[in-house]
Amino acid sequence: MRKRILFVLTMVLGWMNTIAAEQPPIRISTNETDLILSVAPNGRLYQGYLGKRLSNESDVANFSYYAPAGLGGSNTSRGWETYPGSGAEDYFEPAFAITHNDGNMTTVLTYVSSEIEKIDNNVTQTIIYLKDKVYPIDVTLHYISYGKENVIKSWSEIKHSGKKPVTIWRYASNMLYFENARYFLTEFSGDWAKEVNMSSQELQFGKKIIDTKLGARAAMHTYPFFELGLDGIPRENEGEVLLGTLGWTGNFQFTFEVDNAGNLRVISGINPYASMYELKPNEIFKTPEFIFTLSSCGTGKASRDIHDWARQYQLKDGKGDRLTLLNNWEATYFNFDEKKLEGLMKEAESLGVDMFLLDDGWFANKYPRENDRAGLGDWEVNRSKLPNGIPHLVKSAAEAGVKFGIWIEPEMVNPKSELLEKHPEWAIRLPNRETYYFRNQLVLDLSNPVVQDYVFGVVDKIMIENPNIAYFKWDCNSPITNVYSPYLKDKQNQLYIDHVRGVYNVFERVKEKYPNVPMMLCSGGGARCDYEALKYFTEFWCSDNTDPIERLYIQWGYSHFFPVKSMAAHVTSWNKDTSIKFRTDVAMMCKLGFDINLKEMDEKELSYCQNAVANYNRMKPVILDGDFYRLVSPYEANHTAVMHVSKTKEKAVLYAYDIHPRYGEKLLPVKLQGLEPSKNYKVEEINLMPGTTSRLGENDKIYSGDYLMKVGLKAFTNGQINSRIIEITQQ
Ligand code: DGJ
């Protein structure tokens, strides 16, 4: 009997190998990029090619199997395995690792079959099925390619059909290989109020890892995206560069490993730190989506492709409009009452913005939310501040002529709250050690479905009681501290992952029930900014640092991955050494809002702001949905400039900022991009302070697109902290 089974198994495996050998290379393409995977004679799947799209279909067959130099050629199974398991002949970081029931820690995945599905004229999905011949493990690789946007998104699904649970301890979303002379990484790092600082380095032999272990406010120190220069440090308008980002709102990890042969592998996925995950029989472990684009003309083009893709396919209401607003956070902090808020609503209307946004401090009674030490979790309106409740505020806003939005932070709790008194078991914290608090609060245990119901209920209750609420700002101010889930008991190693999945369950339910309510994702500034969360949010808060000079760098950094319509930017009182004009001109580059006491402004400043809001509203289609060009980097000059160009190229807006020009500095013209060379454009400075006129030499004149792109505009000045916004209109 045993012999017969063995015989059948051998036949099946032999047959699988035959399929493998006959399987032509799998081509995953956009209009500009090819990723070619091929099944080798050993039945395993390898990366044959990743680069510019090949012109001739017949050349694809050349990649039937490819072993890069230094890895022993085609008579060895060492090569660029697409999803390498652990413990076989590959000596570097695996994409996948599992401990089988018998304690064996090796996995070798072989190709079973693949499917290609054309979703529409632009989007194609490729699914590849792999399995281990010795253990009942199935891995499915998914690739979705977006032709026009030149973006590929990929993830994997892991399953086993054994009798008992197994433990997986590596579960990458994707692995890519490069064979270049040198590799340069641009990473984004920061902290509260100093988000997305860009720095570049050459990768040398060994590993460079970018990861976070912060759990909830996960991107506080580093961000889930990177740029990889394949022929030098990533540059704006030239050079081969890969932009990659992971859609995961928790612990993520990017590993860049240069091997003995000088080849590079890039592994992207959830950070497996403290997360050996127990997989039950037939349960599917779906990894987050890794999204990438490959550009052969620099980061500018790559960013524009990602912006287009995000607006079209990923961001909540990506193609829709965005609301301008007045937020009360910096004007009042926790210190407000109905009268004060009603005054602000009227100010919002006089400013011309669409909405008033009520921030932190409106809730909790037993432990009133007077500061950040109490009340979080008790989502009943604070009766002494707001005796007539939220419905009254929504009504007052409508009477003032603006919409009403509201702040919540439903995933968190203060120890001083009725919620924690009632449900001490709902918070993530250690039962047997002193508790550490970040901003005096704890993270609720979203791995617990009952807690998920509660968090969903926070939004649901507000919406049921106030169906006219037009907007939510959803905050998250603490990383996971005291890492212990009372719910998961002896499965603590699943907390980091199950918690994030719990967060997504809530986001999903909110989106399903309230699909049309715009939402801002906030995390004590910009510590949550990934493309999975942004399926549920229309925008994110880039930073609590609204000093306009700092913002020039912060917005420059985020714009590498996010379209400006997703980047909330407010005019505030940070850095009063800068003018209201400068502060507004900086915020106007993104999704405009105000968070400032209008009483601080004199008549001219207020009138300037009203005019700026009107200009913004008029130019919203270009700003929010146009192509974004980074023209002069604040990292490289004492000035910076960017521009938006409408898709039709009929309208453009140029933003030029002088930060700290040196005495007598030579000023170079700003060369524009993206215009129609053969068309003429009128150049007109807008957003001028009342009583001033433009001193731009080219103001009110007409130039060809060719001239503006080759010669440029003398838009910079020798003034300190000076700004110009220039409207460019095709004639
Ligand atoms: C942190 C956010 O980034 C701020 O904008 C503000 O909403 C505060 N939280 C409120 O506590």
Side-chain angles (χ1 to χ4, degrees):
M1 181 67 183
R2 260 190 85 191
K3 266 192 183 162
R4 254 185 81 184
I5 292 175
L6 257 177
F7 172 75
V8 173
L9 201 69
T10 319
M11 290 296 285
V12 170
L13 295 181
W15 175 71
M16 274 172 62
N17 271 349
T18 319
I19 301 183
E22 286 168 2
Q23 168 67 34
I26 301 166
R27 184 179 194 189
I28 297 158
S29 329
T30 69
N31 294 359
E32 293 163 60
T33 303
D34 265 327
L35 171 63
I36 300 176
L37 308 177
S38 48
V39 183
N42 63 7
R44 288 156 67 177
L45 185 72
Y46 294 88
Q47 177 183 311
Y49 175 76
L50 172 60
K52 277 188 200 169
R53 190 187 160 102
L54 301 174
S55 309
N56 304 312
E57 181 71 36
S58 56
D59 288 334
V60 173
N62 296 333
F63 295 97
S64 57
Y65 177 59
Y66 175 70
L71 291 186
S74 57
N75 52 8
T76 166
S77 47
R78 279 193 71 207
W80 285 354
E81 197 160 5
T82 310
Y83 203 70
S86 72
E89 73 290 341
D90 187 281
Y91 311 128
F92 298 92
E93 273 297 318
F96 175 65
I98 188 167
T99 303
H100 302 287
N101 276 321
D102 60 2
N104 191 313
M105 295 170 87
T106 66
T107 304
V108 175
L109 295 169
T110 48
Y111 175 85
V112 178
S113 63
S114 55
E115 291 162 18
I116 295 177
E117 184 197 353
K118 230 174 157 26
I119 294 174
D120 59 31
N121 275 345
N122 191 46
V123 185
T124 306
Q125 167 149 227
T126 306
I127 305 176
I128 304 171
Y129 300 95
L130 308 174
K131 73 185 302 96
D132 192 329
K133 290 178 184 170
V134 178
Y135 289 94
I137 305 296
D138 295 286
V139 172
T140 309
L141 306 179
H142 292 256
Y143 296 86
I144 301 191
S145 53
Y146 302 85
K148 195 154 68 70
E149 293 77 16
N150 190 30
V151 164
I152 298 177
K153 160 159 127 172
S154 73
W155 71 94
S156 52
E157 290 176 6
I158 299 157
K159 200 178 87 163
H160 81 99
S161 50
K163 288 205 172 63
K164 288 193 276 165
V166 293
T167 301
I168 53 175
W169 41 280
R170 286 287 188 283
Y171 25 73
S173 296
N174 172 282
M175 183 129 157
L176 296 175
Y177 300 83
F178 301 88
E179 188 180 22
N180 292 71
R182 296 165 77 187
Y183 313 95
F184 295 83
L185 174 71
T186 297
E187 65 179 308
F188 299 76
S189 62
D191 204 337
W192 177 78
K194 42 187 268 197
E195 285 84 350
V196 288
N197 294 289
M198 296 175 66
S199 60
S200 301
Q201 60 185 269
E202 181 165 1
L203 297 169
Q204 304 285 358
F205 175 82
K207 273 185 281 189
K208 156 82 184 172
I209 292 176
I210 297 175
D211 71 3
T212 171
K213 303 181 181 73
L214 295 170
R217 191 174 164 172
M220 187 160 64
H221 298 146
T222 185
Y223 299 82
F225 37 84
F226 65 86
E227 295 177 345
L228 183 67
L230 299 167
D231 58 2
I233 290 178
R235 285 147 289 156
E236 194 61 30
N237 297 312
E238 53 170 11
E240 295 270 339
V241 63
L242 177 115
L243 267 61
T245 177
L246 191 79
W248 185 245
T249 318
N251 295 349
F252 57 83
Q253 185 177 72
F254 299 119
T255 304
F256 305 86
E257 185 168 28
V258 178
D259 67 16
N260 55 318
N263 297 321
L264 170 71
R265 61 181 66 193
V266 179
I267 311 169
S268 307
I270 295 176
N271 185 354
Y273 164 77
S275 299
M276 314 260 285
Y277 201 90
E278 186 185 285
L279 198 59
K280 294 184 204 77
N282 295 315
E283 177 186 345
I284 294 175
F285 184 97
K286 184 173 180 236
T287 69
E289 295 170 353
F290 175 68
I291 298 134
F292 68 95
T293 183
L294 196 62
S295 160
S296 52
C297 37
T299 50
K301 149 93 169 62
S303 298
R304 285 186 290 283
D305 282 340
I306 292 198
H307 298 167
D308 282 344
W309 165 82
R311 284 183 294 225
Q312 179 73 21
Y313 297 106
Q314 194 88 356
L315 183 63
K316 182 176 179 185
D317 197 19
K319 286 151 81 180
D321 193 10
R322 294 293 183 268
L323 299 170
T324 53
L325 59 85
L326 175 70
N327 190 187
N328 71 310
W329 176 239
E330 300 212 1
T332 66
Y333 292 105
F334 296 95
N335 179 17
F336 55 80
D337 58 18
E338 237 162 50
K339 210 167 141 234
K340 221 185 223 181
L341 297 185
E342 283 168 358
L344 291 173
M345 291 171 190
K346 290 188 188 124
E347 288 183 6
E349 197 278 334
S350 77
L351 198 55
V353 295
D354 302 312
M355 181 173 58
F356 170 73
L357 169 62
L358 173 60
D359 214 283
D360 196 353
W362 59 266
F363 49 89
N365 289 294
K366 182 170 175 190
Y367 304 107
R369 183 76 171 164
E370 303 293 357
N371 50 49
D372 61 19
R373 291 192 294 281
L376 201 57
D378 300 344
W379 298 102
E380 293 295 335
V381 74
N382 179 289
R383 285 185 294 275
S384 65
K385 284 186 200 175
L386 306 170
N388 297 303
I390 300 298
H392 175 78
L393 292 178
V394 180
K395 196 161 148 260
S396 303
E399 280 164 12
V402 287
K403 296 179 196 289
F404 182 85
I406 196 161
W407 177 98
I408 51 172
E409 191 180 4
E411 299 160 65
M412 307 271 158
V413 65
N414 280 132
K416 233 172 141 188
S417 67
E418 290 186 78
L419 181 72
L420 208 65
E421 281 177 354
K422 223 158 112 199
H423 293 292
E425 77 290 4
W426 280 11
I428 295 177
R429 71 177 151 177
L430 289 155
N432 52 357
R433 290 184 199 277
E434 204 184 321
T435 305
Y436 167 73
Y437 298 98
F438 190 102
R439 208 199 191 203
N440 314 299
Q441 63 194 57
L442 293 172
V443 179
L444 289 174
D445 184 1
L446 270 292
S447 68
N448 182 345
V450 176
V451 180
Q452 293 170 22
D453 288 345
Y454 156 82
V455 175
F456 169 72
V458 172
V459 182
D460 201 30
K461 182 164 176 286
I462 296 174
M463 284 306 290
I464 289 169
E465 289 172 5
N466 306 279
N468 289 333
I469 290 224
Y471 186 85
F472 280 90
K473 174 178 176 183
W474 182 306
D475 210 342
C476 158
N477 282 292
S478 176
I480 297 183
T481 53
N482 322 288
V483 190
Y484 182 88
S485 155
Y487 174 77
L488 288 172
K489 299 196 175 73
D490 64 344
K491 302 268 178 324
Q492 294 304 316
N493 38 352
Q494 313 211 163
L495 173 56
Y496 281 126
I497 294 177
D498 286 354
H499 178 80
V500 179
R501 289 183 173 161
V503 172
Y504 291 148
N505 282 344
V506 176
F507 287 172
E508 188 63 51
R509 286 170 71 182
V510 171
K511 189 175 171 189
E512 201 175 286
K513 187 151 180 200
Y514 304 106
N516 301 321
V517 180
M519 295 202 160
M520 183 208 283
L521 180 64
C522 174
S523 185
R528 269 186 168 177
C529 49
D530 68 86
Y531 270 120
E532 186 61 26
L534 286 174
K535 286 180 180 169
Y536 308 100
F537 289 84
T538 46
E539 58 231 49
F540 68 95
W541 182 229
C542 298
S543 174
D544 278 349
N545 190 338
T546 44
D547 173 334
I549 296 174
E550 295 299 326
R551 272 288 177 141
L552 286 173
Y553 293 83
I554 291 170
Q555 292 169 190
W556 181 272
Y558 281 122
S559 77
H560 284 76
F561 284 85
F562 301 101
V564 297
K565 77 176 348 172
S566 69
M567 291 163 52
H570 296 174
V571 179
T572 74
S573 302
W574 280 57
N575 196 350
K576 286 193 177 149
D577 290 341
T578 62
S579 66
I580 286 287
K581 170 172 162 58
F582 190 84
R583 284 180 250 166
T584 310
D585 286 358
V586 172
M588 283 227 351
M589 184 205 294
C590 295
K591 204 229 111 182
L592 177 67
F594 290 78
D595 191 355
I596 189 167
N597 187 349
L598 296 197
K599 302 220 163 53
E600 278 179 16
M601 297 187 198
D602 63 27
E603 223 174 279
K604 273 191 181 166
E605 288 173 329
L606 185 60
S607 139
Y608 162 82
C609 286
Q610 288 163 331
N611 179 251
V613 172
N615 282 336
Y616 187 81
N617 283 336
R618 190 167 52 76
M619 295 188 308
K620 256 184 183 178
V622 192
I623 298 173
L624 300 180
D625 296 313
D627 288 328
F628 186 65
Y629 291 87
R630 291 180 294 263
L631 303 174
V632 179
S633 168
Y635 285 90
E636 287 163 15
N638 299 324
H639 312 262
T640 177
V642 299
M643 74 185 287
H644 303 288
V645 183
S646 69
K647 291 280 175 194
T648 59
K649 299 182 185 290
E650 282 166 6
K651 181 72 105 184
V653 196
L654 169 69
Y655 304 70
Y657 307 94
D658 308 306
I659 303 173
H660 179 49
R662 303 287 306 277
Y663 173 78
E665 182 186 309
K666 179 173 171 185
L667 297 174
L668 298 174
V670 180
K671 291 182 185 163
L672 310 198
Q673 291 187 39
L675 302 175
E676 193 64 66
S678 59
K679 297 276 179 188
N680 285 332
Y681 291 87
K682 180 165 182 202
V683 170
E684 194 181 1
E685 183 172 359
I686 57 165
N687 272 24
L688 291 162
M689 277 306 275
T692 63
T693 49
S694 174
R695 298 177 66 188
L696 175 75
E698 299 96 338
N699 195 41
D700 251 343
K701 294 189 186 135
I702 292 175
Y703 300 90
S704 72
D706 185 59
Y707 177 93
L708 292 171
M709 293 192 290
K710 287 180 179 159
V711 181
L713 293 176
K714 297 192 189 77
F716 292 139
T717 77
N718 279 116
Q720 303 287 317
I721 314 179
N722 199 45
S723 57
R724 272 176 172 159
I725 298 192
I726 298 161
E727 187 173 347
I728 294 156
T729 313
Q730 204 182 90
Q731 299 302 290

